[in-house]
Amino acid sequence: MSNLDHGKFTRVTTLFHSLLGLDVFLLFFTGYAIMFNDELWWMLTLMGGASGVTAIHRITGIGLVALVVFWITLQIISPTGRSNFSKILPSKGDVDAFIQDIQFVLGRADERHPSARQFAGYKADEVPLLSYIGKGVVFIFSIELTLLAISGLLIWSKTGLAAMFQTKAAAMAFVTFHGLLGVIMLMGVMFHIFEHGMHPAFYPVETKAFIPRSMVPEHHGDDDEEPDTTGIERLSLSPSWRTVSTVFGAMTVIGIVSVLIGSIFDEGYPVPRELAIGGGPSSILLTIGINLGMVVLGVGLVLSMYGNVLRIRWEQQLEAEREPSTAADGGEPQTDGGQPKSDDNEN
Amino acid sequence: MTDRDDLPEVNGYSRVSVLISTVVGLAVAGLALFWAQGFRLGYESLYRVSPSVEGGGIGSDWVFGNTIPALDFLIALIHAADVILGAFILVMVFIHWAAFQRLADQMREPDEDVSEAVAADGGSRARSDGRGGDGA
């Protein structure tokens, strides 16, 4: 019996995740149109040049502050938030999961560690709320978003910053700090998109973050029977998976490497007075690579929207099935509340 | 949205918590906007560096103007963090990529179930599930 490890999020979390994703993507597109302005000149131009881009960046930045503060407050004041906190603390199981993941890749383990499973042959309760990667994402993204919001606000009020640190160079150091910190997050988000988009069982997007747990019917058929396997052998691979995952994986790697190299070069105050194509130490390869990285982000944006479409579709199907007059037609396996969900692989 | 009595217990967030958090979030964002704008006196252009400036380029102002060694160190630190974390993230990508390949190998090939002796239950081929083919 297979069981999908989705529906771990609450409705508030899924909505928050989508809003945060949208906001952060806009911040990335504008922020890196500024930082990598010689490689992403077209993006800078499309968004109205330096002034247009910085305006959008600030509006979305304020949105980020609202979202971050909302989330921190919610985690503190609600019992759910406080109880979830203990579940995201790193544990020995996470180290074991990392080691077993490597062994799995090398063929020395048959399965991924339960703490690393996104597709698991266990009841939802038996699989941890978050994998070790998920915990890392929560911690790293939380710290980075907070630091980015603070440094961003300091940069915004740069006369205040200059007064605080006495020199213009100090103010510029904050800009550099802000941009380089963002690069770490940019690379992490590319990985995040790859990880949740290219899992063969969930391709093209894992719905965990879009379909809230309250909407996921759980299997009650044979509770006594413990699953022997993950059940993945029952799933059919999507015909396009091998090609798409290979192309997208390559794009992810190229994108990460390129923004990493680009960030090493672009260390100064990144906004020139005049738009200068090739004004920095750019090269054709770096330009292509950084643009590929932006395509990876674009795919992430599309997948995020697609995840929301799937939720709406799921809601409609659930509603239809709950109409007493509607006979269960067995048409869509996802809505088979009482059926094993071994076939939910597509989503 | 209709009855969900048969669905599992879910520890959601209460409406009050969400409402309070929303108000706090918007209030802080509003204050941040007020604070940041309060300092904005039109000096934006003061800090622009022209790439064609003599003897310089993007970032030259920072390199030559900085007199605080601690800031140099911080920038070097964040550069190092970029490289180290970037390498780590790449390792994670490769681990997952390879793990996904292994998982895919365990799955049925796209056209495999067509020739199965046990027919699928009428679902589309891609989501054909083997519900009727447990022995497979």
Side-chain angles (χ1 to χ4, degrees):
Chain A
M1 218 51 67
S2 72
N3 192 348
L4 297 187
D5 179 25
H6 63 190
K8 288 286 188 185
F9 291 12
T10 67
R11 184 177 289 274
V12 173
T13 313
T14 60
L15 183 64
F16 174 77
H17 177 265
S18 289
L19 286 176
L20 185 69
L22 193 62
D23 198 83
V24 166
F25 278 119
L26 276 172
L27 283 165
F28 277 150
F29 287 135
T30 49
Y32 289 101
I34 296 171
M35 182 165 180
F36 300 128
N37 61 81
D38 36 7
E39 288 88 4
L40 299 173
W41 77 95
W42 60 273
M43 206 181 256
L44 192 66
T45 311
L46 271 181
M47 289 189 283
S51 55
V53 149
T54 47
I56 300 171
H57 196 71
R58 283 167 193 199
I59 293 165
T60 41
I62 285 297
L64 180 67
V65 172
L67 285 168
V68 167
V69 175
F70 162 80
W71 191 250
I72 292 173
T73 310
L74 187 63
Q75 298 311 299
I76 293 171
I77 68 170
S78 70
T80 306
R82 289 196 297 271
S83 75
N84 277 351
F85 189 73
S86 62
K87 293 178 188 166
I88 65 163
L89 292 176
S91 65
K92 184 180 175 296
D94 298 319
V95 178
D96 295 343
F98 176 63
I99 292 167
Q100 189 165 331
D101 254 6
I102 295 173
Q103 289 174 333
F104 178 72
V105 166
L106 297 175
R108 293 181 186 167
D110 291 334
E111 293 180 350
R112 297 183 75 185
H113 191 277
S115 294
R117 274 183 203 148
Q118 295 157 19
F119 172 85
Y122 299 88
K123 295 186 196 70
D125 289 342
E126 292 169 346
V127 178
L129 181 72
L130 291 166
S131 69
Y132 70 100
I133 295 289
K135 288 181 183 181
V137 164
V138 169
F139 274 103
I140 294 171
F141 286 6
S142 302
I143 294 168
E144 285 193 14
L145 285 175
T146 306
L147 286 176
L148 282 167
I150 292 171
S151 57
L153 281 170
L154 283 169
I155 293 163
W156 190 341
S157 71
K158 56 178 68 62
T159 52
L161 184 70
M164 200 184 299
F165 287 93
Q166 304 301 324
T167 69
K168 176 177 158 185
M172 287 167 54
F174 262 81
V175 177
T176 309
F177 176 78
H178 183 77
L180 292 177
L181 191 66
V183 167
I184 299 174
M185 179 138 187
L186 182 65
M187 296 186 295
V189 167
M190 284 189 211
F191 165 61
H192 189 64
I193 296 166
F194 174 77
E195 183 203 4
H196 292 283
M198 293 299 132
H199 190 298
F202 294 103
Y203 173 81
V205 69
E206 189 182 351
T207 51
K208 177 168 76 174
F210 303 105
I211 298 178
R213 183 173 185 178
S214 57
M215 287 173 58
V216 178
E218 289 189 1
H219 169 57
H220 296 295
D222 42 3
D223 288 338
D224 300 336
E225 183 190 329
E226 286 300 317
D228 302 327
T229 69
T230 59
I232 196 166
E233 68 281 356
R234 301 181 181 194
L235 305 181
S236 282
L237 198 59
S238 169
S240 61
W241 182 81
R242 286 192 195 279
T243 311
V244 173
S245 69
T246 303
V247 170
F248 194 69
M251 280 168 56
T252 306
V253 170
I254 292 169
I256 290 173
V257 170
S258 298
V259 296
L260 184 59
I261 293 171
S263 76
I264 293 169
F265 287 126
D266 286 332
E267 68 169 312
Y269 190 66
V271 188
R273 188 183 298 144
E274 302 287 330
L275 182 65
I277 298 169
S282 66
S283 68
I284 295 288
L285 276 179
L286 197 58
T287 301
I288 293 171
I290 288 178
N291 276 282
L292 276 181
M294 292 300 126
V295 174
V296 171
L297 286 190
V299 169
L301 193 60
V302 170
L303 288 183
S304 173
M305 291 179 181
Y306 181 59
N308 282 302
V309 170
L310 287 178
R311 186 196 64 230
I312 293 164
R313 205 188 285 170
W314 174 293
E315 270 177 17
Q316 287 170 346
Q317 286 177 356
L318 212 58
E319 284 296 322
E321 201 168 80
R322 283 171 183 282
E323 296 279 333
S325 57
T326 308
D329 60 6
E332 289 296 329
Q334 282 107 323
T335 61
D336 279 347
Q339 291 294 320
K341 300 195 293 93
S342 59
D343 40 6
D344 280 357
N345 56 46
E346 260 203 337
N347 305 325
Chain B
M1 315 299 175
T2 54
D3 79 294
R4 292 231 165 85
D5 295 342
D6 56 327
L7 296 184
E9 283 295 316
V10 175
N11 288 326
Y13 296 98
S14 71
R15 278 170 195 273
V16 179
S17 301
V18 174
L19 189 68
I20 293 172
S21 305
T22 307
V23 170
V24 172
L26 289 176
V28 172
L31 283 174
L33 182 64
F34 175 75
W35 180 80
Q37 287 287 16
F39 285 104
R40 192 164 173 270
L41 300 170
Y43 290 127
E44 184 74 12
S45 60
L46 195 66
Y47 299 102
R48 298 264 186 260
V49 180
S50 173
S52 58
V53 71
E54 193 178 341
I58 300 173
S60 62
D61 203 17
W62 148 251
V63 175
F64 296 116
N66 178 41
T67 53
I68 307 172
L71 290 178
D72 263 338
F73 174 74
L74 277 178
I75 298 297
L77 190 71
I78 195 81
H79 264 297
D82 254 5
V83 174
I84 292 166
L85 285 171
F88 179 69
I89 289 167
L90 281 174
V91 167
M92 291 321 251
V93 171
F94 287 123
I95 287 179
H96 280 72
W97 199 346
F100 290 172
Q101 293 290 343
R102 277 209 69 189
L103 289 172
D105 289 342
Q106 293 173 11
M107 291 168 67
R108 298 180 186 196
E109 288 302 313
D111 50 356
E112 197 177 322
D113 52 357
V114 172
S115 58
E116 289 280 330
V118 183
D121 62 359
S124 67
R125 199 175 65 172
R127 71 176 62 199
S128 158
D129 56 28
R131 194 185 300 157
D134 279 345

